[in-house]
Amino acid sequence: MTVSKRRKGLTVASALLGGVLVLSACSGGDDNASGSDGDSSQSKVDEAAAKKTSEAQIKITPEDGSDNASINNSAAVTVSKGTLTDVKMTTNDGSEVDGQISADKKSWKPSTQLERSTTYKLAAEAKDSDGRVAHENASFTTVSPANSFIGNFTPDDGTTVGVGMPVSINFDKAITNKAAVQKGIKVSTTGGQEVACHWFNANRMDCRPEDYWKEGSTVTLKLALDGVEGAKGVFGVQQKTVTFKIGRNQVSYVDAKTKQMKVTQDGKVVRTIPISAGSPDNKTYEGTMVMSEKFKETRMNGATVGFTDDDGKGEYDIKDVPHAIRLSSSGTFIHGNYWGAKSIFGNVNTSHGCVGLQDAKGANDPNTPGAWFFKNSMIGDVVVVQNTGDKTVAPDNGLNGWNMDWAQWKAGSAA
C-alpha cells in the first residue's frame, strides 16, 4: 500500500511538472521553436517605426508656456535636417498673424510687431529629405503693459528739423535703472559731434551735442531696449532705428528792450521784425528756446496757464490765434496777433508772456510778418529771447536744454 501510494504521488508530480513545462513553452521559452520568429517580428516593427519618424527638428521660440515674451523677437521658428512647409500663428481669439517662411525654408517669423499682453499659438510643420513630416506646437504670452515700458521720442523718423532740435525721450514708466536703459540708446550724427544724454527725471532723457547740430547733417537714434529691465520687473519692448536730417541754421533773436526780432540764417540777418513781448506784469521768459509745435491757428485760453479773472474764467480766450509756434511746455508761444493795433509792434510790450507779431485774422494773408515767420520756420529752430527782465526758462520746460552748460548737461548722464 505504501509503495503504491508513493508511485501514485510521483505520477501526479510528474504530471504537474509536465504542466509547468507546457506553460513555459506557451510563453515562448522554447528558443528553437519560436524565439527567432519573435525577434524578427520585433525588429521589423522597430525598423518600420524608424522609417516613419521624420529627421526634421523644429524649434519654436519662446518655449511653450512662456510669459513676458518679447513683442519684437518672439515667434521665431527654425528647422534643422529639413525644410518648413507650413507655419500658422494665431491669437487666442483665432485671428491669424501674417508671417513669412524664408527663401531657404529654414526659418519663419511674423511680418508685424506683436501686441503686448496677448497670447499667441504657433503650429509648425516640416519635412525631411525623405518627405517625412514633423510637427511642433507652442503657446506663449507677450509682456503686459504693466510689466513693460516704452519711450515716446521726438523728432519723428524721416523729418527735417532745425539745428536746435534735441532727441527727447519720455518713458511711460519711471526708470530706476537709468544706466541700463541709457546703454540701450545710441545717438550719433554724421556731423562728427559728440552727443551726450541728460536725465531730467525718472521719465525723461534728452540728448544733444555741445553746440547746435551742424546744418545738413543726419542724426540717428537707435533704441535697443527690448528686454532691458528699466525698473524691477519692468522691461523695455522697443527695437527701432530712427533718422532725421538737420536743415539750415536759423536762429532768431528777440530783444524785448528794442522790441525787435532779428532772424538769422547761417549767422546772417535775413529779416528784422517788430514784436510785442510780455508786459511788465507778465514778462516773457529769457533764454534759448526751441520750436516744438506749429499751428496755423489755435485757441489760447488764459485759464489754462493760470491767467484768470475773479470769476475763474480766463483773462483772455482767443479761439483763432494765427501762426502760433510753441516755445515752452508752460505756454510760451511766438505767434501772430490781429487784435492789437499795428502801432504796438516795435513800440510796446503788451502780451501775457508770449512774443507777438503783427498778423491778420484767419491766418490767410501771406504778406504779414506773422505769416512770413511761420512759413520760414521749422520745428527745431531756435529763438533766443533777451532783455525781458524775467528769469531764464527752465531747461526741461519744453525742448530747452540749451540753457544748461555742457558740463552740467554731461553731469546728468547715467552712462
Side-chain angles (χ1 to χ4, degrees), residues 53-118:
T53 301
S54 176
E55 291 185 353
Q57 298 177 6
I58 302 171
K59 182 180 180 181
I60 297 177
T61 53
E63 294 181 354
D64 185 37
S66 298
D67 57 12
N68 285 332
S70 166
I71 62 173
N72 297 292
N73 299 318
S74 294
V77 181
T78 58
V79 65
S80 59
K81 298 181 181 180
T83 55
L84 290 172
T85 55
D86 186 56
V87 177
K88 185 176 182 180
M89 183 176 183
T90 58
T91 59
N92 222 18
D93 62 6
S95 301
E96 193 160 346
V97 178
D98 291 335
Q100 188 77 34
I101 294 177
S102 61
D104 62 3
K105 298 183 178 180
K106 293 289 186 181
S107 63
W108 176 96
K109 62 181 180 180
S111 302
T112 58
Q113 187 180 65
L114 305 185
E115 297 293 332
R116 288 191 284 181
S117 197
T118 302

Side-chain angles (χ1 to χ4, degrees), residues 3 18 35 40 48 65 74 98 100-101 118 121-122 151 158 169 218 236 257 276 294 302 306 308 320 334 340 398:
V3 174
S40 177
S74 294
D98 291 335
Q100 188 77 34
I101 294 177
T118 302
K121 295 180 180 180
L122 266 166
I169 305 173
T218 298
K257 186 175 182 180
S276 179
K294 293 178 65 182
T308 58
D320 57 354
I334 184 166

Side-chain angles (χ1 to χ4, degrees), residues 17 19 47 59 82 90-91 110 155 187 241 260 317 333 335 341 346 358:
L17 182 59
E47 183 180 353
K59 182 180 180 181
T90 58
T91 59
V187 181
T241 298
Q260 302 289 321
D317 187 2
F333 282 78
H335 61 78
Q358 189 270 317

Side-chain angles (χ1 to χ4, degrees), residues 51-318:
K51 286 182 178 179
K52 292 179 182 178
T53 301
S54 176
E55 291 185 353
Q57 298 177 6
I58 302 171
K59 182 180 180 181
I60 297 177
T61 53
E63 294 181 354
D64 185 37
S66 298
D67 57 12
N68 285 332
S70 166
I71 62 173
N72 297 292
N73 299 318
S74 294
V77 181
T78 58
V79 65
S80 59
K81 298 181 181 180
T83 55
L84 290 172
T85 55
D86 186 56
V87 177
K88 185 176 182 180
M89 183 176 183
T90 58
T91 59
N92 222 18
D93 62 6
S95 301
E96 193 160 346
V97 178
D98 291 335
Q100 188 77 34
I101 294 177
S102 61
D104 62 3
K105 298 183 178 180
K106 293 289 186 181
S107 63
W108 176 96
K109 62 181 180 180
S111 302
T112 58
Q113 187 180 65
L114 305 185
E115 297 293 332
R116 288 191 284 181
S117 197
T118 302
T119 298
Y120 292 93
K121 295 180 180 180
L122 266 166
E125 179 184 283
K127 289 183 179 179
D128 64 11
S129 57
D130 292 328
R132 294 174 296 191
V133 179
H135 296 272
E136 192 70 41
N137 294 275
S139 175
F140 64 90
T141 302
T142 51
V143 63
S144 69
N147 293 324
S148 61
F149 72 88
I150 61 172
N152 297 298
F153 56 84
T154 191
D156 292 333
D157 186 34
T159 56
T160 298
V161 297
V163 295
M165 188 70 185
V167 172
S168 184
I169 305 173
N170 286 273
F171 299 99
D172 65 348
K173 301 282 195 310
I175 303 300
T176 56
N177 194 357
K178 294 178 180 178
V181 171
Q182 187 172 330
K183 185 178 180 181
I185 299 172
K186 302 294 182 185
V187 181
S188 60
T189 171
T190 57
Q193 296 166 280
E194 177 189 359
V195 180
C197 297
H198 180 94
W199 290 86
F200 287 114
N201 51 51
N203 293 84
R204 178 180 171 185
M205 185 183 79
D206 285 14
C207 305
R208 67 168 178 86
E210 182 174 5
D211 300 311
Y212 302 141
W213 303 103
K214 292 182 179 179
E215 58 269 31
S217 61
T218 298
V219 180
T220 299
L221 163 66
K222 290 186 178 181
L223 298 170
L225 297 175
D226 189 59
V228 174
E229 191 170 18
K232 187 176 181 180
V234 180
F235 299 87
V237 295
Q238 288 170 296
Q239 192 166 291
K240 191 175 184 67
T241 298
V242 173
T243 61
F244 59 93
K245 292 185 178 180
I246 306 301
R248 77 285 177 275
N249 184 326
Q250 179 167 304
V251 180
S252 299
Y253 296 89
V254 172
D255 189 329
K257 186 175 182 180
T258 63
K259 304 168 188 65
Q260 302 289 321
M261 176 174 68
K262 292 183 177 181
V263 183
T264 69
Q265 289 186 359
D266 299 321
K268 297 179 180 179
V269 178
V270 295
R271 184 162 179 170
T272 299
I273 301 175
I275 61 95
S276 179
S279 68
D281 292 333
N282 302 295
K283 299 173 183 175
T284 305
Y285 283 131
E286 292 190 0
T288 301
M289 306 185 206
V290 175
M291 298 179 184
S292 59
E293 290 183 292
K294 293 178 65 182
F295 307 97
K296 184 179 178 181
E297 289 184 281
T298 192
R299 178 183 181 183
M300 290 188 178
N301 187 331
T304 63
V305 288
F307 292 111
T308 58
D309 292 323
D310 293 338
D311 59 4
K313 295 182 179 180
E315 291 183 15
Y316 57 89
D317 187 2
I318 306 170

